[in-house]
Amino acid sequence: MSTGVSRTPIIILNDKSISNLYVKREDMIPYSFGGNKARKAELFFADYDKGGYDYVVTYGTSHSNHCRVIANICAGRDIPCLIVSPNEVSDTTYNSKLTRIFGAEYKCVPVEEVHDTIETELNRLRAEGHNPYFIEGGGHGNIGTDAYVRCYDEICEYESLSGIRFDYIFFASGTGTTQAGLVCGQLIHKDERHIVGISIARKNPRGRQVILDSIISYMDANKYPYSVQDVDDKTVFIDDYTSDGYGADNAEITDTIREALRDYGMPLDSTYTGKAFYGMKEYIKKNNISDKNILFIHTGGTPLFFDDLENRL
Ligand SMILES: *Cc1c(COP(=O)(O)O)cnc(C)c1O
């Protein structure tokens, strides 16, 4: 596991319809197929190391990139890892196969029992003399937010080195932690630009409210000044392209994935990056955005691309 700052390349895509489209390849973080969960995990384990812990407990479905990365780090460091997982999404995927290879233990329960099961398992481990470290599903929380404040710093650094300034930043928004970090970065840098999260499942207003709460929690915890109005103005969460919810795709998304693979040699998946890339293109069309510099953040999920390759491409 690398320590220190993750740095990922920003490259231009010679897109046929959008002339200044760049992508920041978070999928190329050099650990466990990368992605935003790898960037977040780096900071969670730095925190783990401070606390005298000896066990990791987290939550996620059998599709979870987060669980794969956490289980991989645990395996490499000989830390036992328990994953509480909902029965409702427990089919075999590349992520679940990898997670099992890493020796993580899955505890599958009905989704409504997840919350209590996490509590019960943490208490059981403590009673057995362990000191478990709990990581929220998807790496949600201030530590996960911090990872994307740092990513925002990298984007600013790229801009000052290249002289290119991004007017828009798009990406797949799930728990909203990635988005919260980017918006916090923007508030800290006092930048004016559009940060647009494309929801892959959640709907407004709840999905957006979770992001607002994450931003305020992070700014408060780090004593950064902000205005609630500014936080509100800068949080754009688009729920027009969720299809029928988490994991649900459609023919347009499949076409988008095929095109990105053929045109730029870049894997996207139908749950996150393919959906967001499709949503970004539609949003740009619908709002007549032209002559702007656009950055798409590729948030990872390469094992999900291979599930798609087998099942729907
Ligand atoms: C988890 C995930 C997201 C969503 O990130 P959040 O911080 O939860 O919003 C986007 N893309 C991929 C590939 C992911 O694994």
Side-chain angles (χ1 to χ4, degrees):
M1 180 75 202
S2 73
T3 53
V5 192
S6 313
R7 286 186 192 279
T8 54
I10 293 179
I11 52 165
I12 189 162
L13 299 179
N14 290 309
D15 189 76
K16 294 185 186 95
S17 54
I18 308 165
S19 55
N20 301 316
L21 176 59
Y22 294 75
V23 59
K24 183 164 172 64
R25 295 287 302 267
E26 293 285 279
D27 59 318
M28 291 174 70
I29 289 174
Y31 187 82
S32 196
F33 307 96
N36 63 350
K37 304 313 184 302
R39 186 185 280 273
K40 294 178 192 180
E42 209 173 311
L43 298 190
F44 278 106
F45 279 85
D47 190 51
Y48 173 98
D49 286 336
K50 288 189 223 148
Y53 298 101
D54 65 357
Y55 222 105
V56 168
V57 177
T58 193
Y59 163 75
T61 70
S62 64
H63 294 237
S64 171
N65 294 310
H66 165 73
C67 292
R68 176 195 80 246
V69 171
I70 297 299
N72 201 343
I73 298 171
C74 285
R77 297 183 46 171
D78 285 328
I79 302 166
C81 178
L82 174 68
I83 296 168
V84 178
S85 197
N87 281 333
E88 287 78 1
V89 186
S90 55
D91 53 321
T92 299
T93 66
Y94 283 113
N95 276 332
S96 71
K97 282 187 194 170
L98 288 162
T99 303
R100 286 195 190 280
I101 287 175
F102 301 140
E105 185 193 343
Y106 270 113
K107 175 140 187 109
C108 294
V109 297
V111 70
E112 66 274 11
E113 289 173 25
V114 161
H115 179 83
D116 290 352
T117 304
I118 291 169
E119 284 309 307
T120 312
E121 289 299 309
L122 287 171
N123 287 331
R124 176 183 63 79
L125 289 168
R126 288 188 191 111
E128 289 171 7
H130 289 291
N131 187 13
Y133 184 77
F134 177 65
I135 305 176
E136 271 193 59
H140 186 61
N142 283 350
I143 292 176
T145 302
D146 196 32
Y148 273 82
V149 172
R150 296 174 189 221
C151 177
Y152 190 89
D153 292 341
E154 285 179 31
I155 294 168
C156 293
E157 191 182 281
Y158 173 87
E159 290 180 318
S160 67
L161 290 172
S162 66
I164 295 160
R165 197 183 146 74
F166 299 113
D167 304 296
Y168 285 84
I169 301 177
F170 291 93
F171 50 88
S173 204
T175 68
T177 316
T178 298
Q179 181 159 4
L182 295 168
V183 173
C184 288
Q186 179 181 30
L187 294 169
I188 294 163
H189 285 259
K190 301 188 168 45
D191 287 336
E192 287 303 324
R193 69 170 104 229
H194 304 275
I195 295 180
V196 184
I198 305 290
S199 175
I200 55 92
R202 289 180 182 168
K203 289 290 183 187
N204 281 317
R206 189 182 92 84
R208 183 167 174 276
Q209 189 58 49
V210 175
I211 303 170
L212 297 175
D213 294 346
S214 299
I215 295 168
I216 293 195
S217 162
Y218 181 86
M219 298 298 275
D220 284 345
N222 292 284
K223 301 192 168 57
Y224 287 116
Y226 64 90
S227 82
V228 173
Q229 185 62 50
D230 210 16
V231 171
D232 197 63
D233 290 346
K234 297 211 158 34
T235 305
V236 179
F237 183 73
I238 302 299
D239 67 357
D240 297 340
Y241 310 105
T242 55
S243 227
D244 289 323
Y246 184 85
D249 67 337
N250 57 33
E252 285 90 353
I253 294 169
T254 305
D255 288 347
T256 301
I257 296 172
R258 285 173 184 277
E259 257 173 50
L261 193 61
R262 190 190 59 214
D263 294 351
Y264 338 115
M266 180 171 78
L268 298 174
D269 76 89
S270 59
T271 304
Y272 295 105
T273 54
K275 218 177 212 183
F277 202 78
Y278 166 72
M280 171 187 73
K281 290 202 156 187
E282 291 296 305
Y283 183 91
I284 287 172
K285 255 192 268 170
K286 188 169 144 192
N287 293 284
N288 293 313
I289 298 167
S290 61
D291 299 326
K292 297 290 183 196
N293 290 326
I294 315 271
L295 179 68
F296 179 76
I297 302 182
H298 188 315
T299 44
T302 301
L304 297 175
F305 162 80
F306 285 102
D307 290 325
D308 285 333
L309 186 61
E310 258 179 36
N311 303 327
R312 56 188 123 210
L313 288 181

